[in-house]
Amino acid sequence: MPLTNGNAASTSAALLPGKEAIPHAKALEILKHDYPDKDGLDAKTLLDSTLNGGLTYNDFLVLPGYIGFPASEVALDTPVTKRITLKTPLVSSPMDTVTEHSMAIHIALLGGLGVIHHNCSADEQAEMVRKVKRYENGFILDPVVLGPTTTVAEARRLKDKWGFGGFPVTEDGALRSKLIGMITTRDIQFHPSLEDPVTAVMSTDLVTAPSGTTLQEANSVLSKSKKGKLPIVDGNGNLISLLSRSDLMKNLHYPLASKLPHSKQLICAAAIGTRPDDKTRLQILVDAGLDIVVLDSSQGNSVFQIEMVKFIKEKYPDLEVIGGNVVTRDQAASLIAAGVDGLRIGMGSGSACITQEVMAVGRPQAASVFSVSSFAARFGVPCIADGGIQNVGHIVKGLALGATTVMMGGLLAGTTESPGNYFVSREGQLVKAYRGMGSIDAMEDKKAGAGGKDAKQSNAGTARYFSEGDRLLVAQGVSGSVLDRGSVTKFVPYLTAGLQHSLQDIGVKSLHELRQGVRDGSVRFELRTVSAQAEGNVHGLHSFDKKLYS
């Protein structure tokens, strides 16, 4: 009995009436032969402003590719400057409600980079740099050393200052002097007489390693010794350096940490302005161990920044310099010619920035990133996409358009490690204060002028927006609050896992492959209409709970 109802082979139900279906095994062959043009657009066509106008991240999507590997195999290694590479392409913004030492430490432990803000005195900023540099070490080449006459009270004060209580004691109270003992927190915590010398409570049963011991050998000795510190001594028993058990544990817990290969210290970046006083500030930061300096300006193509770049490269040739901000090739070319090691891209796209609205100057972020990064790549200069990042998808798009890293402000401002206190909003939600550096609140912050003759002249906000000499301040940012996001130790791994899954969907196994695929046109894009953007978001539900990670 012939099939009628439900018979897909019948003439009336055929997909192409009058034509015989091609055997399925030939699908890939037909695709290659009959469809030479790939789906979607290449990046150059997508970002052609004469065709599509200036685009932001929400205006397009990346098309999926072929998945032939697990997301865990996706490599996120990427350069942040000409000479420094990170394991994770995430950078925290130098804003006074985003990055101080706690944020810089924890995001570096997770493979990224924190840029310490400069809306404070030079000494306060340098102290934050020192805290980052001392947090993790290989061989500690400049340990805090006590002498025989140091009192228990002084040892306690040093513990409060530095955050650790294990100190070597030498005959002269200095490095390269004969080691006579070790002080630990347990030795001084409950000692009744604060005026006693540390020699009365120090441990003399020491495990040491000889000078010339490799870091791997020293870690092995330390792990077997059950001691908190391992002093490295020369043939005469003089203290040469120190190794800490806590650093060994950090190596195990944070395998992606951004560290210098020779010292094993965390990489630290800090921002400065382009005023003459910032040269003095920079010297103080370099003395504290700074690795990367970020020149903080809303418009980087200025005589002030170009001269500052040349000064830094001449006086501190080993210091990496990131210039910016820029949004055009013309701006970038000036800074590249001056010698920058990296660029920051973005003007007016930050969540707390109103430069485009107030000044009518700037550029949509996607157009900025593609234009500048394509140009800078020809000179080997990595670029940071700074601003407009609201979610994992925006991170992916910024990287796909050529940025090697992305900088986040508002996305990280609500985390435990950002400066400031939590409070409960009028809606009963837990929030944290967040403000743009161009906001009136930031530009009038008195503490920023500590140590200067005039608070306004020393303020990072007025410097960033060239407003030091203005009688009337014109805001280019706003003050507000952001929802609590918990600790970056959970939030950043969520971002990196999301990034790995996104690259898996695109069909690339690394950020290098992603950038290569965009250049050769194998990674494709599609424009989104307003309706498409609505479709791609939550819709049609009476209510929903948007939980991002567990």
Side-chain angles (χ1 to χ4, degrees), residues 145-148 168-181 202 206 233-240:
V145 182
L146 309 185
V169 183
T170 66
E171 286 183 346
D172 298 338
L175 201 63
R176 303 192 181 281
S177 174
K178 190 172 182 63
L179 180 69
I180 59 175
M202 70 183 184
L206 305 178
V233 296
D234 63 16
N236 297 318
N238 297 320
L239 180 67
I240 301 300

Side-chain angles (χ1 to χ4, degrees), residues 12-313:
S12 61
L15 296 179
L16 294 174
K19 290 189 178 182
E20 186 177 347
I22 301 171
H24 67 274
K26 292 188 175 182
L28 295 176
E29 178 187 338
I30 293 298
L31 174 67
K32 185 177 180 180
H33 183 268
D34 292 1
Y35 299 88
D37 295 329
K38 290 179 173 288
D39 280 327
L41 307 169
D42 61 74
K44 189 173 182 180
T45 304
L46 174 75
L47 275 303
D48 187 339
S49 298
T50 61
L51 295 176
N52 303 318
L55 301 185
T56 67
Y57 293 141
N58 285 334
D59 291 325
F60 67 93
L61 289 171
V62 188
L63 295 186
Y66 171 74
I67 296 178
F69 50 89
S72 59
E73 289 186 6
V74 174
L76 300 179
D77 304 61
T78 189
V80 67
T81 67
K82 288 179 179 178
R83 292 185 291 183
I84 295 179
T85 298
L86 306 177
K87 295 289 182 64
T88 304
L90 306 178
V91 181
S92 67
S93 180
M95 302 171 73
D96 60 5
T97 50
V98 178
T99 310
E100 291 188 346
H101 64 275
S102 181
M103 177 66 75
I105 287 170
H106 286 90
I107 199 166
L109 287 173
L110 296 164
L113 179 70
V115 184
I116 297 171
H117 74 84
H118 61 121
N119 210 21
C120 56
S121 71
D123 289 337
E124 289 172 328
Q125 191 181 19
E127 182 64 22
M128 288 189 269
V129 171
R130 277 190 286 271
K131 287 180 178 179
V132 176
K133 299 305 293 182
R134 283 187 176 273
Y135 188 81
E136 185 171 355
N137 303 270
F139 289 115
I140 305 171
L141 302 177
D142 58 343
V144 179
V145 182
L146 309 185
T149 59
T150 304
T151 65
V152 171
E154 290 171 326
R156 284 189 179 182
R157 284 195 291 271
L158 286 171
K159 177 187 178 299
D160 292 339
K161 176 181 179 180
W162 294 110
F164 54 85
F167 305 108
V169 183
T170 66
E171 286 183 346
D172 298 338
L175 201 63
R176 303 192 181 281
S177 174
K178 190 172 182 63
L179 180 69
I180 59 175
M182 286 289 300
I183 281 290
T184 68
T185 301
R186 291 186 296 274
D187 296 326
I188 61 176
Q189 193 168 24
F190 300 113
H191 190 71
S193 178
L194 298 181
E195 297 309 313
D196 281 354
V198 291
T199 51
V201 295
M202 70 183 184
S203 302
T204 56
D205 178 23
L206 305 178
V207 175
T208 64
S211 179
T213 302
T214 67
L215 183 59
Q216 187 174 2
E217 292 169 342
N219 278 329
S220 177
V221 173
L222 184 61
S223 63
K224 296 174 183 176
S225 70
K226 300 182 180 179
K227 300 286 186 179
K229 298 284 193 297
L230 178 68
I232 309 299
V233 296
D234 63 16
N236 297 318
N238 297 320
L239 180 67
I240 301 300
S241 60
L242 197 67
L243 196 68
S244 171
R245 176 177 290 272
S246 64
D247 292 326
L248 179 60
M249 297 307 296
K250 289 167 191 170
N251 283 334
L252 295 174
H253 294 152
Y254 299 103
L256 300 178
S258 303
K259 295 186 286 190
L260 295 173
H262 56 281
S263 69
K264 302 300 181 183
Q265 291 180 321
L266 295 178
I267 298 171
C268 183
I272 64 170
T274 56
R275 300 164 297 200
D277 287 350
D278 285 298
K279 295 179 180 179
T280 304
R281 177 185 288 264
L282 179 59
Q283 181 63 63
I284 296 171
L285 297 178
V286 170
D287 292 341
L290 187 67
D291 303 304
I292 302 171
V293 62
V294 176
L295 299 182
D296 192 25
S297 174
S298 63
Q299 214 281 51
N301 188 23
S302 70
V303 63
F304 313 109
Q305 184 160 152
I306 291 169
E307 289 179 355
M308 181 66 86
V309 171
K310 292 178 179 178
F311 165 78
I312 296 171
K313 297 309 293 182

Side-chain angles (χ1 to χ4, degrees), residues 319-338:
L319 183 65
E320 297 290 276
V321 182
I322 295 176
N325 282 30
V326 297
V327 293
T328 69
R329 290 188 294 268
D330 288 344
Q331 287 178 297
S334 299
L335 297 180
I336 292 171

